[in-house]
Amino acid sequence: MGSFRAKEMLRFFVVIAFLLAASSAGNFNDDVNITWGGSRAQILNAGQVLALSLDNSSGSGFESRNQFLYGRIDVQLKLIPGNSAGTVTTFFLSSLGSAHDEIDFEFLGNSSGQPYTIHTNVFAKGVGNKEQQFRLWFDPTTAFHTYTIVWNSQRIIWLIDNIPIRVFINYESNGIPFPTNQPMKVYASLWNADDWATQGGRVKTDWTKAPFTATYRNYNANVCVVSTTGNSCNNGTVSSQAWQTLGLNANDRNRIRWVQTNYMIYNYCTDVQRFPRGFPKECRLPSFQEKGKKMGMFSDSVTLLNFSMLLLTILMSSLATTTWADFNTDAEITWGDGRAKILEAGRALDLSLDQYSGSGFQSKNEYLFGRFDMQLKLVPGNSAGTVTTFFLSSQGAGHDEIDFEFLGNATGEPYTVHTNVYAQGKGNKEQQFQLWFDPTAAFHTYSIVWNQQRIIFLVDNSPIRVFNNHESIGIPFPKNQPMRVYCSLWNADDWATQGGRVKTDWTKAPFVASYRNFNINGCVSGSTCGSQSTDSFNTQAWQTQGLDANGRNRLRWVQQKHMVYNYCNDSARFPQGFSEECKRSRF
């Protein structure tokens, strides 16, 4: 495999801190209480997932066990599919009492085919009336997406998939109340509000579709816990964290302007009928930063302005599928002599590299087609010479292989993401990319969808490459050889970084790459999932997954802005003409 000259790109920084006094990668069994709805709220997958349901008798809800005064709270959520009219799904912070503080995400359902409305609001000292509403740039019912509230003493930021959609700044000096003194808990609920939620109450809940279900996972609270012993951020337990001063930099301000220009459908600051005597004071003040103050650096994991994902991630179980795999039971460490370590009761795995050896692991099962997801945080700092991998492969000289390889670089220079496809032992189909975020600062999801029609490479559910099955014109395609998942961290300083010109700096060893949330929805070799049976496996979305118009637009954006090498354009390498698939549509 060759290495190709990288283009320069902006570096973005997302600092994800894990507080000693807070729950990080939280477990619903440990961190929340189900407060109403009885068995309609269910904790699943050993505490990793919580499902809320609603029927014509009751909804359901939960709350955090701890209360907080400032923090960053993330949760992944998949909303009610189909006809969700009349329903409201929530994720919010609140204190108690008539003069309570509150920070809201509410998801207002709609009729089939119509978009959800995202309703946001802020209450301070019992006063709210600061609503902003949005439509989403993706379907929030087909896959999990991350919804985040950052609350510090300077501002509140609402984010979706790490893209800021709204900021509410602390303007107490101008007489505008701001939540600063009352500890709040996290609350989530699913309930019926068909008297107002959908088209002003004109569309009612269709109870023939009940029960309705919304699913939560990956609840993370990096916060200042308030308890009888005090505040964890004031007693020395917690050091300075990025969220405590988090704001928006120029790139983030561009992104929030894009969201608010294209997807905001209501803003209390422009509602002249509601405020005929003039808008509230904060509407006349800067929306994104205070005058005269330097903002904290912030960059999210998705930076493009017209960027989203509508590819399905179906987390269903079947006899042939492993969902939310456990590294202890579903993978085996194959080399490295102790340099590979399974952590967090099987939820995470770290690989390390020193001057003596790297390390690696593989899945215990082999698969013939499937969707394979892995969250990965790459080697930070000077990673030159190192290669971190996540790939599928069969064995033998005529093997098949589907590659994600992450080629390290010197400090301050971007990683190169190297992709390739081998079929019947033949590769030479490299495409390389540089990412639109810093892959060392936080975990990001890398996915391979492999079905009989195509292979799709995705980053944070955004397609970066498609390799179609063109066997009809003589192009080999992986379809007969079962493959395992392999991951490794190893030294390749003879070629990996700038063609081998930059070598590994062993004074920085050991180098560590971290893996988590290993998910496989696939056909285990030898199972019947490829047959014509009618079991649930045959309904899996990945089996026919392709790209819709939005997916194609996003793929074009990635390939125009972030592709740094394409074998289909390398005339020096292929002077006698490009491979036949290069002449066909990439979609």
Side-chain angles (χ1 to χ4, degrees):
M1 291 173 285
S3 175
F4 310 95
R5 193 170 190 83
K7 296 179 182 177
E8 292 184 354
M9 68 176 282
L10 296 174
R11 291 195 74 215
F12 301 116
F13 298 89
V14 181
V15 181
I16 306 297
F18 297 94
L19 305 186
L20 295 174
S23 170
S24 183
N27 186 294
F28 285 111
N29 282 315
D30 300 330
D31 300 315
V32 308
N33 292 318
I34 294 172
T35 49
W36 64 289
S39 61
R40 295 174 184 84
Q42 293 187 349
I43 297 176
L44 308 169
N45 289 18
Q48 295 182 50
V49 176
L50 197 156
L52 296 180
S53 66
L54 163 70
D55 57 34
N56 52 355
S57 300
S58 177
S60 50
F62 66 89
E63 67 180 41
S64 63
R65 293 185 179 180
N66 289 321
Q67 56 181 354
F68 319 119
L69 190 62
Y70 305 130
R72 174 175 177 139
I73 301 93
D74 305 86
V75 72
Q76 289 189 331
L77 177 58
K78 185 160 65 170
L79 297 177
I80 299 165
N83 187 354
S84 59
T87 71
V88 176
T89 308
T90 71
F91 160 52
F92 64 102
L93 312 182
S94 184
S95 60
L96 299 175
S98 58
H100 75 295
D101 296 339
E102 186 173 332
I103 305 168
D104 292 338
F105 260 123
E106 295 183 319
F107 306 89
L108 313 185
N110 215 331
S111 304
S112 296
Q114 298 301 311
Y116 266 80
T117 295
I118 310 303
H119 179 96
T120 67
N121 203 356
V122 181
F123 289 76
K125 301 177 182 177
V127 178
N129 299 323
K130 302 182 187 301
E131 301 90 345
Q132 289 184 358
Q133 293 183 333
F134 305 84
R135 301 276 198 229
L136 292 168
W137 48 96
F138 54 84
D139 182 348
T141 73
T142 59
F144 283 92
H145 293 269
T146 304
Y147 303 90
T148 303
I149 295 170
V150 174
W151 170 38
N152 58 40
S153 61
Q154 299 88 44
R155 64 193 65 83
I156 299 162
I157 309 172
W158 289 256
L159 306 102
I160 298 177
D161 289 335
N162 267 337
I163 297 175
I165 67 166
R166 179 181 182 180
V167 177
F168 186 80
I169 288 173
N170 184 346
Y171 282 123
E172 285 187 304
S173 60
N174 297 81
I176 300 160
F178 185 87
T180 57
N181 299 313
Q182 300 187 66
M184 296 197 267
K185 289 188 175 184
V186 177
Y187 295 86
S189 58
L190 173 58
W191 51 291
N192 179 49
D194 65 2
D195 56 333
W196 66 271
T198 304
Q199 299 179 32
R202 292 188 296 276
V203 182
K204 302 299 184 181
T205 304
D206 181 356
W207 294 112
T208 67
K209 306 297 184 183
F212 304 98
T213 302
T215 308
Y216 298 74
R217 75 177 188 189
N218 286 353
Y219 166 63
N220 294 318
N222 296 314
V223 295
C224 296
V225 175
V226 176
S227 65
T228 56
T229 60
N231 185 318
S232 62
C233 292
N234 295 336
N235 62 16
T237 305
V238 175
S239 59
S240 179
Q241 301 295 331
W243 59 259
Q244 291 179 307
T245 57
L246 193 58
L248 305 186
N249 66 15
N251 290 308
D252 301 312
R253 293 194 292 275
N254 285 335
R255 284 187 288 278
I256 196 171
R257 289 186 187 101
W258 176 80
V259 171
Q260 296 193 350
T261 299
N262 292 284
Y263 295 97
M264 180 183 282
I265 59 172
Y266 178 80
N267 184 1
Y268 75 106
C269 282
T270 59
D271 191 340
V272 293
Q273 291 185 332
R274 186 177 177 191
F275 300 104
R277 298 183 180 180
F279 299 122
K281 287 183 182 180
E282 67 270 14
C283 298
R284 301 188 293 272
L285 295 168
S287 299
F288 305 142
Q289 70 177 43
E290 303 92 330
K291 294 181 179 178
K293 289 192 177 182
K294 183 178 180 181
M295 301 298 288
M297 287 299 293
F298 174 78
S299 180
D300 50 61
S301 64
V302 185
T303 65
L304 58 151
L305 300 183
N306 192 8
F307 189 81
S308 62
M309 193 60 224
L310 187 56
L311 291 174
L312 303 178
T313 306
I314 307 296
L315 299 178
M316 297 173 62
S317 60
S318 73
L319 294 176
T321 304
T322 302
T323 302
W324 288 104
D326 183 316
F327 286 111
N328 282 313
T329 57
D330 300 304
E332 52 190 2
I333 294 170
T334 50
W335 63 288
D337 295 326
R339 293 174 180 85
K341 295 181 179 180
I342 297 175
L343 308 169
E344 297 179 21
R347 294 169 60 188
L349 194 154
D350 281 0
L351 296 180
S352 67
L353 163 70
D354 57 34
Q355 63 266 48
Y356 301 106
S357 178
S359 49
F361 65 92
Q362 67 183 36
S363 63
K364 290 186 177 179
N365 288 322
E366 294 181 310
Y367 302 89
L368 189 63
F369 306 123
R371 175 171 178 138
F372 308 85
D373 302 271
M374 184 77 76
Q375 288 191 334
L376 179 58
K377 185 160 65 171
L378 297 177
V379 177
N382 187 353
S383 58
T386 71
V387 176
T388 307
T389 71
F390 163 49
F391 65 102
L392 311 181
S393 184
S394 61
Q395 298 296 316
H399 76 294
D400 295 340
E401 186 173 331
I402 305 169
D403 292 338
F404 263 120
E405 296 185 317
F406 305 89
L407 314 184
N409 215 331
T411 302
E413 297 298 320
Y415 266 80
T416 295
V417 180
H418 178 98
T419 66
N420 203 354
V421 177
Y422 288 76
Q424 301 171 25
K426 296 179 181 179
N428 298 325
K429 302 184 187 300
E430 301 91 345
Q431 289 184 359
Q432 294 186 332
F433 305 84
Q434 290 182 343
L435 294 167
W436 48 95
F437 53 83
D438 180 353
T440 73
F443 283 93
H444 294 269
T445 303
Y446 304 89
S447 305
I448 296 170
V449 173
W450 170 37
N451 58 40
Q452 296 188 45
Q453 299 83 43
R454 63 193 59 86
I455 298 163
I456 309 174
F457 300 77
L458 305 104
V459 177
D460 288 336
N461 261 342
S462 299
I464 67 168
R465 178 181 183 179
V466 176
F467 185 81
N468 286 304
N469 185 342
H470 286 305
E471 285 187 303
S472 61
I473 59 172
I475 307 299
F477 185 85
K479 71 171 191 178
N480 297 314
Q481 300 186 62
M483 295 196 269
R484 293 183 192 271
V485 178
Y486 294 87
C487 296
S488 59
L489 173 58
W490 52 290
N491 179 49
D493 66 2
D494 56 331
W495 66 270
T497 304
Q498 299 180 33
R501 291 188 296 275
V502 182
K503 302 299 184 182
T504 304
D505 181 358
W506 294 112
T507 67
K508 307 297 184 183
F511 303 97
V512 177
S514 300
Y515 297 75
R516 74 177 187 189
N517 288 350
F518 173 38
N519 295 319
I520 300 175
N521 296 311
C523 295
V524 175
S525 179
S527 73
T528 59
C529 67
S531 71
Q532 297 302 311
S533 65
T534 58
D535 63 22
S536 63
F537 192 89
N538 281 323
T539 67
Q540 296 297 313
W542 59 260
Q543 291 186 308
T544 57
Q545 187 169 342
L547 302 187
D548 64 5
N550 290 316
R552 293 192 294 272
N553 286 335
R554 287 187 285 278
L555 180 65
R556 290 186 186 100
W557 183 88
V558 171
Q559 296 195 345
Q560 288 171 4
K561 300 293 186 181
H562 296 280
M563 180 184 283
V564 297
Y565 177 81
N566 184 0
Y567 75 106
C568 284
N569 296 332
D570 193 342
S571 56
R573 186 180 176 195
F574 301 104
Q576 296 181 347
F578 300 121
S579 182
E580 283 299 314
E581 72 270 14
C582 297
K583 304 170 188 175
R584 300 298 180 103
S585 169
R586 58 192 151 167
F587 304 127

